[in-house]
Amino acid sequence: MNGAVSAMGMADPFAALNHETYMRRAIAQARRVPRYPFGAVLVRITDGDVLAEGHNRSSLNPTFHGEIDVINRLAASSAGIEWASLVLYTTAEPCPMCQSAIVWAGIRAVVYGTPIPSLQQLGWHQIDIRSDEITRRAPFSRTLILGGVLEAECNALFEAHPPA
């Protein structure tokens, strides 16, 4: 992914991170809940340490999407975390709720696999607002977005268990 460009048209400053390695960790999280395969991982930019992993737990709470779960897990385990030093990897493009939480947390970058339009084509209910639009409308945010990492593998998760 060296030289990759984000959905916002900015060069990927985290090209030194192996995006595929971390996306595979998000995919592993997604496989824990095959019916709702939304997995997420938070990684520190400077050293590549995985600080938290999460997955969709909407059976407990409708707002516990994978991204919300991983943010909550890190917040609960690490007081004083420097959110701007993190990249969030997720199997699908964050929905407006999740992308807003990412912006409010101040997370520096999001890397996703399956885009919202692909989820919609597969029958997954998605609000038709892309993550880059949420970020654009938050003038205080500098969140970078990179999509399509291991997209085929992520797509396969959502194709395997279409929504009822």
Side-chain angles (χ1 to χ4, degrees):
M1 292 259 102
N2 286 339
V5 175
S6 74
M8 296 176 62
M10 303 165 93
D12 175 11
F14 314 114
L17 291 176
N18 186 327
H19 296 316
E20 292 183 0
T21 296
Y22 300 112
M23 186 60 74
R24 288 188 200 295
R25 298 271 303 252
I27 290 169
Q29 283 295 308
R31 288 189 174 127
R32 295 182 66 182
V33 188
R35 192 83 183 104
Y36 300 100
F38 299 88
V41 176
L42 279 166
V43 177
R44 189 170 30 230
I45 296 163
T46 55
D47 57 14
D49 280 353
V50 174
L51 302 181
E53 296 177 293
H55 54 273
N56 185 291
R57 295 186 313 135
S58 60
S59 62
L60 300 175
N61 179 321
T63 67
F64 284 174
H65 293 188
E67 298 92 338
I68 300 298
D69 185 44
V70 76
I71 289 169
N72 283 332
R73 287 176 189 259
L74 184 58
S77 70
S78 301
I81 189 74
E82 179 53 49
W83 295 96
S85 70
L86 306 178
V87 177
L88 190 149
Y89 290 84
T90 179
T91 53
E93 180 176 358
C95 74
M97 175 186 71
C98 292
Q99 186 62 39
S100 295
I102 290 163
V103 166
W104 284 118
I107 294 170
R108 184 74 173 107
V110 173
V111 178
Y112 67 84
T114 300
I116 287 174
S118 295
L119 290 171
Q120 291 171 321
Q121 288 176 350
L122 292 169
W124 288 89
H125 295 288
Q126 293 293 306
I127 297 170
D128 198 19
I129 301 173
R130 303 291 301 273
S131 57
D132 62 331
E133 182 175 347
I134 299 294
T135 299
R136 242 189 352 264
R137 290 176 177 254
F140 57 88
S141 174
R142 302 189 60 159
T143 304
L144 301 174
I145 300 168
L146 175 64
V149 174
L150 296 183
E151 185 171 348
E153 290 90 334
C154 292
N155 289 350
L157 296 169
F158 298 103
E159 291 166 352
H161 295 280

